[in-house]
Amino acid sequence: MRRSQVVVIVLVGACMLVPSGTPWAQEALTAKLDTTGLVRVSAGGAELATIELNAHGPGWQHAPQQTATAEVSDLPDQAGKRIVGTLPIPKTEGGAIEFAESVTPLPQGLRLEYDLAMSQTMRLNGLQLSILLPVTQYAGAEVLITHPQGEPRIAGLPQEQQEQTFQIWAGEGARIEVAKATDHAVTIELRAAADIVIQDLRQWENPVFEIRFPAIMEDAGREVTAEDRFHIDLTVTFAAPLQLQAP
């Protein structure tokens, strides 16, 4: 019997522009689509966010989207781009995640959809969508996490890396506001409350904060088979016009 899981996430990002005297005030946002399906959002040459499908094989061996092999084509009516590819998973004897990703431009953002399948039976420690925020832009910012049935929680993105501490916050939430009411505010809204993990990746010499939406995140790992399916559907919008640059 085929097993399937639908992970539906709606992200609404508000990125307020600096009023004057900076490149952000002069240029629209740019979303650059890589040939692997990775998306980088920038303003005036300054990177604001990276949207990445990624996974972890046995022993938490990372499989970043940039290691994927994929082909890019136009969506019908040239409405956007479709990326079909495979993401190899380390230490699985040839296992991979087979994905079909669509990227559709909106007036002030993007709609992204991912359909995921497993090439074979294998064990995964992690499978997730990650929103990566540069430390240079967001160190010292506050993160407000709200839940429809709970009290709001506040977490801080540290200025300096905390020794042997990388997980900043973990729990359920439906709305995340990063650096609220500042020039580089980001708001992430989910259609329904889901698991959220916020991490500082400087411990791995990666100067970013990660907001992770995990489909799988298990220390002991989870066995998946070719019958397993996952679907991720999200929209990211900003407070300024956004131009998609695609292969």
Side-chain angles (χ1 to χ4, degrees), residues 58 88-96 119-123:
I89 305 300
K91 296 189 175 181
T92 59
E93 298 183 357
S119 67
Q120 63 182 42
T121 298
M122 58 185 169
R123 186 166 290 274

Side-chain angles (χ1 to χ4, degrees), residues 11 51-53 114 128-131 211-213 232 234:
L11 307 181
I51 303 169
E52 179 189 20
L53 173 71
Y114 304 82
Q128 59 271 330
L129 175 76
S130 297
I131 308 296
I211 301 177
R212 177 183 295 190
F213 303 94
I232 302 173
L234 58 94

Side-chain angles (χ1 to χ4, degrees), residues 143-155 169-177 193 196:
V143 182
L144 178 66
I145 306 105
T146 56
H147 189 290
Q149 281 78 45
E151 294 294 324
R153 303 295 180 90
I154 296 177
W169 190 87
E172 274 201 347
R175 180 182 175 92
I176 303 170
E177 297 172 86
I196 300 166

Side-chain angles (χ1 to χ4, degrees), residues 16-219:
M16 298 172 60
L17 300 184
V18 176
S20 62
T22 71
W24 290 20
Q26 305 300 322
E27 299 182 26
L29 303 181
T30 299
K32 186 173 183 180
L33 175 66
D34 187 87
T35 54
T36 63
L38 186 79
V39 179
R40 298 185 189 277
V41 179
S42 61
E47 189 167 308
L48 304 182
T50 299
I51 303 169
E52 179 189 20
L53 173 71
N54 63 106
H56 290 85
W60 291 101
Q61 292 293 306
H62 191 215
Q65 190 165 9
Q66 282 188 305
T67 63
T69 301
E71 293 185 357
V72 182
S73 60
D74 290 331
L75 288 172
D77 300 323
Q78 297 184 333
K81 295 293 182 177
R82 177 176 172 84
I83 305 94
V84 177
T86 57
L87 177 63
I89 305 300
K91 296 189 175 181
T92 59
E93 298 183 357
I97 294 177
E98 300 169 345
F99 67 92
E101 172 185 351
S102 65
V103 181
T104 306
L106 303 173
Q108 292 186 218
L110 299 168
R111 178 173 183 179
L112 303 100
E113 296 184 61
Y114 304 82
D115 286 297
L116 312 177
M118 310 298 127
S119 67
Q120 63 182 42
T121 298
M122 58 185 169
R123 186 166 290 274
L124 295 177
N125 284 107
L127 176 61
Q128 59 271 330
L129 175 76
S130 297
I131 308 296
L132 305 174
L133 306 175
V135 167
T136 52
Q137 299 287 357
Y138 294 97
E142 280 192 344
V143 182
L144 178 66
I145 306 105
T146 56
H147 189 290
Q149 281 78 45
E151 294 294 324
R153 303 295 180 90
I154 296 177
L157 302 180
Q159 287 280 4
E160 302 296 332
Q161 179 185 340
Q162 306 299 306
E163 187 175 356
Q164 297 184 350
T165 301
F166 65 91
Q167 193 169 103
I168 297 169
W169 190 87
E172 274 201 347
R175 180 182 175 92
I176 303 170
E177 297 172 86
V178 183
K180 184 177 180 179
T182 71
D183 292 334
H184 49 281
V186 178
T187 299
I188 303 169
E189 243 180 300
L190 285 71
R191 184 173 298 173
D195 290 335
I196 300 166
V197 179
I198 303 173
Q199 302 189 127
D200 184 344
L201 302 189
R202 283 178 285 186
Q203 180 171 320
W204 293 277
E205 299 182 357
N206 189 3
V208 296
F209 299 110
E210 178 191 23
I211 301 177
R212 177 183 295 190
F213 303 94
I216 297 173
M217 189 173 180
E218 299 183 13
D219 282 333

